[in-house]
Amino acid sequence: MQERAERERMGLPSVWDESTRNDDAEEECKWRAFDMADEIASAMGVNPLTLTESMRVHGVGVLAETPAPAR
């Protein structure tokens, strides 16, 4: 996935790990992931930026927010 590849490119573990925590790098990674949100959404399902009024849809869209790790 793009997000994991970007973490590795930044020298971070591909999956967040408390034992190797680097707050500055994690903050930078968070903002890069924000910039890649439409690509990540496309890879995982539907990019909401590609939806138009003429598209027929059914079901319910869901947006999940996970809590920040305890410090």
Side-chain angles (χ1 to χ4, degrees):
M1 178 185 275
Q2 295 100 330
E3 189 175 4
R4 288 184 179 184
E6 185 65 17
R7 287 183 62 82
E8 290 174 356
R9 192 186 71 68
M10 294 177 65
L12 296 168
S14 62
V15 178
W16 189 82
D17 180 1
E18 177 68 29
S19 68
T20 60
R21 181 173 164 171
N22 176 330
D23 289 338
D24 292 335
E26 291 294 342
E27 184 70 14
E28 175 67 21
C29 187
K30 177 177 77 173
W31 286 107
R32 288 187 189 187
F34 177 82
D35 291 339
M36 297 182 341
D38 60 328
E39 296 172 41
I40 295 168
S42 291
M44 298 186 77
V46 175
N47 179 346
L49 300 178
T50 63
L51 300 177
T52 66
E53 289 182 31
S54 64
M55 296 178 111
R56 296 189 69 183
V57 297
H58 66 278
V60 177
V62 177
L63 176 64
E65 182 178 2
T66 59
R71 292 188 182 225

